[in-house]
Amino acid sequence: MAEEENESNQRQSEEIEAMAAIYGEEWCVIDENAKIFCIRVTDFMDDPKWTLCLQVMLPSEYPGTAPPVYQLNAPWLKGHERAELSNSLEEIYVQNIGECILYQWVEKIRDALIQKSQRTEPDDTEVKNKTEEEEVEFEDEPILDNPPENPVKTLDLKISETPPETEELPPVAHGVPITDRRSTFQAHVAPVVCPEQVKLVLSKLYENKKIASATHNIYAYRIFCEDKQTFLQDCEDDGETAAGGRLLHLMEILNVKNVLVVVSRWYGGILLGPDRFKHINNCARNILVEKNFTNTPDEPPKTSGGKKKVKKDKKKNEH
């Protein structure tokens, strides 16, 4: 029981960090100890017509056997629209029991707001006069006896191996560095369609003396196998304990595929604590968005409910 609780806490922490990295200022911590969060969702980023605040509380059993408790807060949301949106969120939960679903919920709400914006124009008078916010809590949902397993495979990669010469080296892009208290983080990204290309990119990056001298080179990749409809994915901490798994979790939530992300960290002598994970994820998210890897998926994100394989070397903890 304690092991299951620890796993739930770990998965919740990874999801919270990923959501904060994805949504930035739209993501708000209401009560960190009680795990209550709020996210502002709009139809469009620049000039939103419709806005809704999703408030969630993560119970200790989430994501294993219980859904988030949620409230949909918007002065205009009522009646049929509220019921329809609530049903959509609950359907996502039932179809993904045991999985982290906050990203899917937010994007489902955004899709609904976009559709509403395309159908109608907001009534300013109604929005101003209607100040009372309605609240709906999550009702008990049936738990499936045999939730579907997500087809995910992992593969061991050793950077020291000689890369194959038959595969073509994909183009490698480098992100804008982030510096905090003398530590610098920089992300690198490349499209990959097979493990051989992953090895090629890693070898190419290590030819750069600056990258090779980084204290840590954390990486994760996801490759979609069309024939088997499965993901081949793996990650590497390179001594930054748990960083690889968190990076892979971010990529799962963003539902990116056929991509390798490497985040280099040059340690500056000052411990950053949990902030280092925030910088790693922000670096990765920024370059994935910049290079349009987040615009390709046509399906809802699928995440692995099982434990991810994380390869580590002799370096441990933060330094």
Side-chain angles (χ1 to χ4, degrees):
M1 183 67 69
E3 183 178 349
E4 291 180 359
E5 184 176 349
N6 289 337
E7 183 177 349
S8 292
N9 288 336
Q10 176 66 25
R11 293 178 67 191
Q12 286 185 18
S13 297
E14 292 177 355
E15 184 177 27
I16 290 166
E17 289 175 4
M19 293 293 286
I22 292 168
Y23 294 108
E25 294 182 355
E26 290 184 331
W27 175 265
C28 177
V29 179
I30 304 298
D31 187 328
E32 187 171 6
N33 293 329
K35 295 189 176 179
I36 300 175
F37 308 92
C38 182
I39 181 165
R40 178 176 175 267
V41 190
T42 63
D43 49 6
F44 296 107
M45 288 298 190
D46 297 331
D47 185 21
K49 297 177 181 178
W50 302 98
T51 301
L52 182 149
C53 289
L54 170 67
Q55 183 172 311
V56 295
M57 183 190 73
L58 305 183
S60 58
E61 299 84 2
Y62 172 80
T65 58
V69 178
Y70 74 91
Q71 297 175 353
L72 298 173
N73 298 329
W76 52 266
L77 185 64
K78 55 185 178 180
H80 175 71
E81 280 187 310
R82 176 180 288 278
E84 191 176 62
L85 187 54
S86 295
N87 288 339
S88 297
L89 300 187
E90 292 164 14
E91 183 179 352
I92 289 174
Y93 167 69
V94 172
Q95 292 176 348
N96 297 273
I97 290 176
E99 303 293 341
C100 297
I101 57 171
L102 294 185
Y103 177 84
Q104 294 186 59
W105 275 11
V106 172
E107 293 308 308
K108 181 64 178 180
I109 293 171
R110 195 183 307 281
D111 288 343
L113 296 184
I114 290 173
Q115 292 177 17
K116 181 178 177 64
S117 178
Q118 292 171 345
R119 290 195 308 265
T120 62
E121 293 293 331
D123 186 338
D124 293 337
T125 303
E126 179 184 354
V127 172
K128 290 179 181 178
N129 292 339
K130 180 71 174 176
T131 57
E132 192 173 317
E133 294 184 350
E134 301 177 50
E135 297 181 353
V136 173
E137 292 197 359
F138 209 116
E139 298 178 356
D140 292 337
E141 288 286 350
I143 303 299
L144 299 179
D145 292 331
N146 298 299
E149 295 183 1
N150 181 53
V152 175
K153 298 180 180 179
T154 61
L155 179 73
D156 289 328
L157 292 179
K158 296 180 180 178
I159 298 177
S160 59
E161 292 180 358
T162 303
E165 298 180 357
T166 56
E167 292 293 338
E168 182 179 351
L169 176 67
V172 181
H174 308 279
V176 177
I178 295 176
T179 301
D180 180 12
R181 284 164 281 181
R182 299 207 300 263
S183 277
T184 299
F185 303 80
Q186 185 179 26
H188 324 278
V189 68
V192 293
V193 295
C194 63
E196 288 73 22
Q197 286 188 328
V198 173
K199 296 177 184 179
L200 278 173
V201 173
L202 293 174
S203 296
K204 182 64 177 179
L205 287 173
Y206 271 82
E207 290 177 8
N208 184 302
K209 292 183 179 179
K210 181 178 180 182
I211 294 175
S213 69
T215 315
H216 312 286
N217 281 298
I218 305 109
Y219 72 78
Y221 67 87
R222 300 189 81 215
I223 298 171
F224 186 66
C225 306
E226 295 283 353
D227 55 341
K228 298 181 180 180
Q229 294 292 297
T230 61
F231 276 97
L232 183 66
Q233 63 182 36
D234 205 352
C235 57
E236 168 65 64
D237 284 348
D238 193 28
E240 188 72 285
T241 305
R246 293 167 189 259
L247 177 59
L248 180 58
H249 188 71
L250 172 69
M251 295 171 68
E252 290 176 334
I253 287 181
L254 290 174
N255 198 27
V256 297
K257 62 182 179 180
N258 298 334
V259 61
L260 164 71
V261 179
V262 181
V263 178
S264 302
R265 180 195 180 181
W266 292 269
Y267 178 58
I270 300 175
L271 297 177
L272 302 186
D275 283 348
R276 66 192 191 276
F277 298 121
K278 177 181 69 175
H279 296 321
I280 291 168
N281 271 6
N282 281 338
C283 275
R285 176 188 176 273
N286 289 344
I287 198 168
L288 286 169
V289 171
E290 179 186 347
K291 300 303 177 182
N292 296 319
F293 283 103
T294 58
N295 296 336
T296 54
D298 298 321
E299 305 173 348
K302 297 178 181 179
T303 56
S304 173
K307 295 182 180 178
K308 306 175 187 66
K309 190 170 190 176
V310 180
K311 303 193 292 295
K312 302 176 182 179
D313 64 8
K314 61 184 179 180
K315 294 179 282 186
K316 300 294 181 183
N317 301 320
E318 180 191 356
H319 56 75

